[in-house]
Amino acid sequence: FTGETDFRSATFNGLTSFKSAIFDGDANFYSATFNGKADFKFAQFKDKAEFSSSSFNEDSDFSYAGFNGKASFLSTIFDSITTFSLAYFSDYVNFDSAIFNDNVDFYSTTFNDSAEFFSAKFNGEALFESAVFNGWAYFISAIFNGGTTFSATSFEDVTTFQEARFK
């Protein structure tokens, strides 16, 4: 995809595959609805990736995806299994107020800049095993209702779980 890609408020029914897609400009999925599985495995976002206020109603896979610009999942709802394993965020990423209603996997994910999870809600298992946070990591007021794993995770800068709740 060359230039800005605009899928704002789009509805995707059935399997949606952007597997190995390359977005050279901004990729705007603001308020998009994915009613089937969403496959972004190996996708490359060269500029801003905007998924704020989107809904993923089935499994979503962002494993091995590369985010080279800012990425936003602000207030995004993930209703099924979500995978970001081995994804790479080179710039700021925002998961503030995101809701993960099933398991989420950030295994070996690299966050090179600030990663924000303010008031994010994890209702299933949250796996951050072997993740690397090179910038600030904010989990302020995050709620972890399922199992949570941070084993072998590397926090290289300011990290806060202020007012976070683990059940």
Side-chain angles (χ1 to χ4, degrees):
F1 294 90
T2 304
E4 182 177 350
T5 305
D6 191 350
F7 289 104
R8 282 179 291 182
S9 300
T11 299
F12 299 93
N13 295 311
L15 171 66
T16 301
S17 181
F18 287 99
K19 185 175 184 177
S20 300
I22 298 171
F23 297 90
D24 284 327
D26 290 354
N28 193 341
F29 289 88
Y30 179 85
S31 198
T33 301
F34 295 86
N35 288 320
K37 291 183 179 180
D39 187 357
F40 287 89
K41 190 172 189 176
F42 296 107
Q44 295 297 309
F45 298 89
K46 302 291 184 180
D47 213 329
K48 184 177 181 183
E50 177 65 71
F51 287 90
S52 296
S53 298
S54 292
S55 297
F56 292 87
N57 298 320
E58 295 293 332
D59 294 357
S60 52
D61 189 354
F62 289 88
S63 56
Y64 299 94
F67 295 86
N68 296 308
K70 292 180 178 160
S72 183
F73 294 87
L74 172 72
S75 299
T76 297
I77 298 171
F78 299 92
D79 277 331
S80 195
I81 295 171
T82 304
T83 305
F84 282 94
S85 64
L86 295 154
Y88 181 85
F89 294 92
S90 64
D91 206 331
Y92 165 84
V93 60
N94 180 345
F95 284 96
D96 295 348
S97 299
I99 299 172
F100 299 92
N101 284 320
D102 204 328
N103 298 341
V104 61
D105 182 357
F106 286 98
Y107 174 79
S108 287
T109 299
T110 300
F111 300 92
N112 254 358
D113 203 334
S114 295
E116 293 186 1
F117 292 86
F118 287 101
S119 299
K121 191 171 185 179
F122 300 88
N123 290 321
E125 182 178 346
L127 178 68
F128 287 90
E129 181 178 357
S130 300
V132 177
F133 291 86
N134 289 317
W136 293 9
Y138 294 111
F139 290 89
I140 297 170
S141 299
I143 299 171
F144 297 89
N145 287 321
T148 307
T149 303
F150 284 98
S151 64
T153 299
S154 175
F155 294 100
E156 301 297 326
D157 209 328
V158 174
T159 303
T160 181
F161 287 89
Q162 180 182 352
E163 296 183 29
R165 291 187 304 217
F166 297 85
K167 296 184 178 183

